[in-house]
Amino acid sequence: SPSLKLPFIIPLFAIFVNLWYNTFTGGDEMDKNRRNRIAIISIMTYYARQIFDETKLYEFRKSPLRDELLNKKIYVYSAKEDKAIIGYFKVSDILNGNTDEILRATGYDKRHDGHEIVEHYGKNNPNCFALHLYDVTEFEEYLTLIDMRSISKNADMPQYIKFIYDNDPLYEVIKEWDEAFSLDGNLCDNPSKTKQMILQKARMKGGK
């Protein structure tokens, strides 16, 4: 009778739905919670260079950073002129308050460029966040957007934060780039050759 077939139909239907989901969506939402990932923050070149010159100890934002990113490497995409991932930093603390409070807490009320914060956020804006930076490390060789698109033609960078997951070919490229080019005393002997080797290996894996 039809009722006897139901126990067999339900598991088959579940398998079909799961197969369809993973085929047409990549199971992204399920996988993302389990996958390793790295974070990239986009910062205008003018400010990114100040950070890596260590004259800018705070990054100011209109929205907070996720707590899970505290004390983790955040790679910096220098937008505008560089158009490249140029290094990373870590965030030890996030200050929140109105513009005047944040200026005083960060010492920008006494800096000559403190007016830039007021001009951008507005006086007494209640949603001003300051990320306290440390372990600021620049790359000897920058990973350009052109390089990234030679691996993944649709690669793009965020307006704020972007996550790259370990099923993305750029994940391994960025990790290897970090290992090879971080200006932390472990420099490679031939940067140009190492750069080409990293990119070529990624291309051979079928990234493009």
Side-chain angles (χ1 to χ4, degrees), residues 130-150:
L131 315 182
H132 193 189
L133 311 179
Y134 75 103
D135 195 15
V136 176
T137 304
E138 189 174 6
F139 289 161
E140 181 183 22
E141 291 280 335
Y142 292 173
L143 179 58
T144 69
L145 186 59
I146 291 173
D147 290 332
M148 289 185 273
R149 285 180 175 165
S150 76

Side-chain angles (χ1 to χ4, degrees), residues 11-176:
L12 287 172
F13 180 73
I15 291 170
F16 171 78
V17 169
N18 187 59
L19 180 62
W20 177 89
Y21 178 82
N22 284 284
T23 300
F24 292 99
T25 72
D28 284 346
E29 292 306 315
M30 294 170 59
D31 289 346
K32 282 181 178 180
N33 292 327
R34 297 192 295 264
R35 288 192 175 279
N36 295 319
R37 65 185 185 179
I38 55 180
I40 302 174
I41 190 169
S42 183
I43 299 175
M44 298 296 285
T45 297
Y46 172 75
Y47 295 111
R49 290 178 180 168
Q50 290 180 25
I51 288 171
F52 288 98
D53 288 341
E54 299 190 32
T55 60
K56 186 174 188 282
L57 304 180
Y58 292 88
E59 169 63 7
F60 298 90
R61 294 280 159 164
K62 291 182 179 179
S63 57
L65 195 72
R66 297 183 184 183
D67 287 344
E68 67 189 85
L69 293 177
L70 288 174
N71 302 304
K72 302 284 181 62
K73 283 185 180 180
I74 300 175
Y75 293 92
V76 176
Y77 178 75
S78 176
K80 201 89 175 174
E81 287 91 347
D82 292 327
K83 290 187 173 66
I85 296 175
I86 67 172
Y88 65 82
F89 57 60
K90 296 178 183 177
V91 176
S92 63
D93 193 20
I94 304 171
L95 306 179
N96 175 219
N98 65 43
T99 312
D100 288 344
E101 291 170 341
I102 293 300
L103 286 173
R104 289 193 297 272
T106 58
Y108 269 74
D109 59 331
K110 295 180 174 63
R111 285 179 53 137
H112 72 280
D113 54 352
H115 67 93
E116 295 177 4
I117 310 301
V118 177
E119 290 168 5
H120 184 73
Y121 293 96
K123 192 172 178 61
N124 289 321
N125 183 333
N127 296 312
C128 187
F129 297 86
L131 315 182
H132 193 189
L133 311 179
Y134 75 103
D135 195 15
V136 176
T137 304
E138 189 174 6
F139 289 161
E140 181 183 22
E141 291 280 335
Y142 292 173
L143 179 58
T144 69
L145 186 59
I146 291 173
D147 290 332
M148 289 185 273
R149 285 180 175 165
S150 76
I151 305 302
S152 180
K153 64 181 180 180
N154 295 320
D156 63 348
M157 287 296 108
Q159 290 187 342
Y160 184 23
I161 289 280
K162 178 185 179 75
F163 291 105
I164 301 287
Y165 292 85
D166 60 9
N167 61 338
D168 187 321
L170 289 177
Y171 178 90
E172 284 301 326
V173 171
I174 295 169
K175 298 285 278 188
E176 290 184 26

Side-chain angles (χ1 to χ4, degrees), residues 147 177 181 191-203:
D147 290 332
W177 210 272
F181 298 121
S192 180
K193 182 179 179 180
T194 302
K195 170 182 175 177
Q196 292 308 317
M197 286 175 59
I198 294 172
L199 295 175
Q200 186 60 29
K201 184 172 77 171
R203 293 182 191 120

